[in-house]
Amino acid sequence: MHLKSMMRYLTLLLIFLTGFQLANAQEPTKVQDPNNELKTVMPQVRAADTTLRRIVDELQRITDSDKQNSNAIQGLLQGREIDNITKYELIRNNIVYASETYYLLNKKIIDLKSRTTTNNLDVFITSLNNPESKELGFSLSDRIVELVEKVVLKGKADKDEKNGKIVESTKSIIASPIFQSFTSLTPPLAIANSVMNFLHSVSVNNKEINQKTLKEFEKELNKYVVYYSALNDANQKFEYGLNFNKDQLNLLHDNLYDHIMFTASALKYQLPQRGNKSIGETLNDFFFDFKKEKVVVFFNDLETKYTKGKKIDYEALLRENPNLKEVNNQLEDLILQTKRFENLYNEYFTLLDSYYGKVNSSLKIAQDNGLADKSVIDAKQGEFRNLKDEAVKEIQASINIKELYNNTDKIKYRYRIF
C-alpha cells in the first residue's frame, strides 16, 4: 500500500515537470521588456514550487500514516499474544488451586460428618442421664425406691410381705435392661413412667395405696422427671440438629463428587470408580492421582506440546483445548460449595452452643427443685463449660477452616474466559 502510493505520486510529479519543461522549450524567442519577462516567469516558477511542495508533503503524510498503521498492527498482534498468555495463566492457576480445594473440601466434609461431640463430653452427658449415676449427689434409682417406701408405703415397707414385694418389684423395674434400648425416651423417664404405671395397677387391689398417696408420690417424682425431661429435650434437639447437619453434608459431598467428575472428564483424567464404596472412600482413592502436584505436571506437559522453538503458542493451546475454559468457568460452583461447607461448619458450633445452654438450664432445674446443692450444680456447670471449650478447640484444630479460606482466596473465579 505504501509503495504503490509513493510510485503513483512520483509518476505525477515527473509528468508535471516534463510538461513544464516542454512548454518552455516550445515558447518562441522574442525580445521582451525585461520587466514584462520577470512578471511572466515568476508566477510560473512559484506555481511549480507550490505543487512540488504539496506533493512532497503528501508523500511524507502517507509515509507517516503507513508507519503509524504498521505500529498499530504490531501492537494489536502483540496485545493479542499477551491476552492469550494472561488467559492461559489465569486458567492454569485457577485449576491448580482448585485441585487443592477439591482435596481439602473432601477431607473436611468427612471430618465434620464424623463429629457428634467428643468422647469426654459424651461421657459427661451420659453420666448425667444414667439413673444409677450419683454425679449430682443422688441416684435416681435409689430416690425412686426411697419415695416408694416413704410416700407410698408410709415407711412400712418391711412390715408386710405385700409391701416388700412392691419394693422388690419397683427395684426390678428400675434394673430392667429393656430401658437401655429406648431411643425416644431416656432411661430415667422410661423408668419413672413404668414405676408410676405399676403403682397405679397395684392400687386397684391394694386399698392402702389411694389416689391421694399416688398424687403425692407423683408430685415428688415429677421433680426428677422435669429435670430429666429438660436434659432429654437438650439431647434430642442436639441429636436432631446433628442429623440434619449430616444430611446437608452428605448432599454437599454428592455435589462435590459431581463437580470433580466434570472437571476430571474435561481434563481427560480417568474418572473415579465408585462401585460400592462411599463417596469419601472413592474420592480419597481418586486424590492419589488427581492432586495439585499431578495437575501441575499436566499443564507442564501441555505447554511442552505447544512449544515451537522456544515459544509457547498460547493461541493454539487455548483454541485446541476449550475444555480448560469450561473448567475455569465452572469454578464459581466450587467456591459456592466451600461457602456452604463454611455455613455447616459454623452451624455445628451454633448447635453446640445451644446444647450447652439447654444442659445448663436442666442443671439449674435440678438445683431449683432441691435435687442437688448449688455448689454441686456450679461445679458441674463449670466442668461442662470446660469440656465444651475443649471440644470446640479440638474440632477447630482438626478441621482448620482457615486452610480452606486461604486456598479458595487464590482462585479468581469471577474471571470467565470465552
Side-chain angles (χ1 to χ4, degrees):
M1 175 67 181
H2 174 62
L3 182 60
K4 289 181 180 180
S5 297
M6 291 188 68
M7 290 298 296
R8 185 173 70 249
Y9 282 104
L10 284 173
T11 302
L12 291 173
L13 177 61
L14 290 174
I15 293 173
F16 173 78
L17 291 176
T18 302
F20 178 73
Q21 290 175 348
L22 288 174
N24 285 337
Q26 293 173 0
E27 183 77 21
T29 303
K30 54 182 177 181
V31 179
Q32 295 179 345
D33 184 349
N35 293 330
N36 290 337
E37 184 179 355
L38 182 62
K39 291 177 182 179
T40 303
V41 173
M42 288 302 293
Q44 292 177 347
V45 172
R46 287 174 182 171
D49 289 344
T50 301
T51 302
L52 181 60
R53 188 178 300 109
R54 188 185 310 116
I55 293 173
V56 171
D57 289 344
E58 181 66 16
L59 287 173
Q60 185 62 47
R61 187 189 67 76
I62 293 171
T63 301
D64 292 342
S65 177
D66 283 353
K67 185 177 180 180
Q68 290 176 0
N69 289 337
S70 177
N71 290 338
I73 290 170
Q74 290 300 318
L76 288 172
L77 292 173
Q78 185 179 11
R80 183 176 180 180
E81 179 65 18
I82 291 173
D83 187 49
N84 285 327
I85 294 174
T86 302
K87 286 179 179 179
Y88 172 75
E89 289 181 347
L90 176 67
I91 291 172
R92 173 184 170 127
N93 290 337
N94 276 350
I95 295 177
V96 168
Y97 290 131
S99 66
E100 182 72 4
T101 301
Y102 287 132
Y103 169 77
L104 292 174
L105 185 55
N106 176 63
K107 177 177 176 291
K108 295 178 191 306
I109 289 174
I110 293 172
D111 195 340
L112 190 56
K113 279 201 295 187
S114 68
R115 297 286 174 175
T116 50
T117 50
T118 61
N119 289 336
N120 291 337
L121 200 56
D122 289 341
V123 169
F124 176 85
I125 295 300
T126 300
S127 66
L128 286 181
N129 210 31
N130 183 357
E132 302 297 329
S133 171
K134 293 186 178 181
E135 287 294 316
L136 298 185
F138 68 87
S139 158
L140 178 63
S141 299
D142 293 343
R143 289 287 177 91
I144 290 177
V145 172
E146 289 173 9
L147 288 175
V148 169
E149 292 176 340
K150 292 180 180 179
V151 178
V152 178
L153 302 178
K154 309 297 183 183
K156 302 176 183 178
D158 55 350
K159 302 294 183 180
D160 188 300
E161 182 180 352
K162 186 189 299 183
N163 290 345
K165 288 183 177 180
I166 291 174
V167 172
E168 291 305 315
S169 294
T170 301
K171 291 179 179 180
S172 179
I173 291 171
I174 293 171
S176 175
I178 192 172
F179 296 119
Q180 303 304 319
S181 64
F182 280 19
T183 56
S184 59
L185 292 173
T186 59
L189 297 178
I191 289 170
N193 286 336
S194 294
V195 170
M196 199 68 225
N197 290 334
F198 164 69
L199 293 176
H200 273 290
S201 65
V202 169
S203 67
V204 174
N205 298 315
N206 190 332
K207 295 183 179 180
E208 294 182 5
I209 304 176
N210 54 42
Q211 291 300 312
K212 181 180 179 182
T213 299
L214 290 177
K215 285 184 179 180
E216 185 179 350
F217 172 79
E218 187 173 12
K219 179 181 178 182
E220 291 301 315
L221 184 61
N222 274 342
K223 293 178 181 180
Y224 297 90
V225 170
V226 170
Y227 158 65
Y228 284 109
S229 293
L231 189 60
N232 181 58
D233 180 65
N235 290 335
Q236 285 190 333
K237 287 183 177 177
F238 185 56
E239 184 178 359
Y240 175 82
L242 285 179
N243 288 336
F244 181 78
N245 191 271
K246 287 179 182 178
D247 287 342
Q248 295 302 304
L249 285 169
N250 285 330
L251 180 60
L252 177 60
H253 222 174
D254 287 338
N255 292 338
L256 176 63
Y257 178 80
D258 290 342
H259 199 282
I260 290 175
M261 289 283 285
F262 163 78
T263 300
S265 176
L267 297 181
K268 298 180 174 59
Y269 269 80
Q270 184 175 353
L271 300 182
Q273 302 301 311
R274 184 171 179 181
N276 295 324
K277 296 183 294 185
S278 68
I279 289 179
E281 291 176 304
T282 303
L283 291 181
N284 281 340
D285 291 342
F286 180 62
F287 284 126
F288 281 113
D289 292 320
F290 187 75
K291 55 186 177 181
K292 186 176 180 179
E293 294 78 9
K294 293 288 184 72
V295 174
V296 170
V297 171
F298 166 83
F299 279 105
N300 289 342
D301 292 343
L302 196 62
E303 290 167 17
T304 300
K305 178 182 177 181
Y306 285 90
T307 298
K308 298 179 180 178
K310 294 184 178 180
K311 188 176 180 182
I312 300 173
D313 189 346
Y314 291 102
E315 183 177 4
L317 190 157
L318 292 174
R319 183 180 64 252
E320 296 174 13
N321 296 275
N323 52 304
L324 298 179
K325 297 179 183 179
E326 293 176 16
V327 173
N328 180 81
N329 294 343
Q330 292 294 323
L331 288 180
E332 184 174 5
D333 184 51
L334 174 61
I335 300 302
L336 291 175
Q337 289 182 30
T338 65
K339 298 297 182 186
R340 179 58 181 150
F341 175 77
E342 292 168 21
N343 290 337
L344 293 171
Y345 171 82
N346 292 328
E347 185 179 289
Y348 176 85
F349 294 109
T350 300
L351 286 170
L352 198 55
D353 286 339
S354 176
Y355 184 48
Y356 171 73
K358 289 181 181 299
V359 171
N360 275 338
S361 294
S362 67
L363 290 172
K364 186 65 168 56
I365 289 172
Q367 176 186 323
D368 293 342
N369 287 347
L371 309 184
D373 293 337
K374 183 179 184 300
S375 59
V376 174
I377 297 300
D378 289 344
K380 282 299 170 184
Q381 288 178 331
E383 181 183 352
F384 186 48
R385 180 177 59 253
N386 292 335
L387 290 173
K388 180 249 186 182
D389 291 343
E390 287 176 11
V392 169
K393 290 177 182 178
E394 180 186 331
I395 295 169
Q396 288 175 337
S398 174
I399 292 180
N400 189 8
I401 194 71
K402 188 175 181 180
E403 183 182 33
L404 190 62
Y405 291 155
N406 292 340
N407 197 79
T408 53
D409 283 346
K410 297 174 184 176
I411 302 175
K412 306 297 188 292
Y413 65 93
R414 295 186 186 278
Y415 295 93
R416 293 179 176 272
I417 307 297
F418 298 101

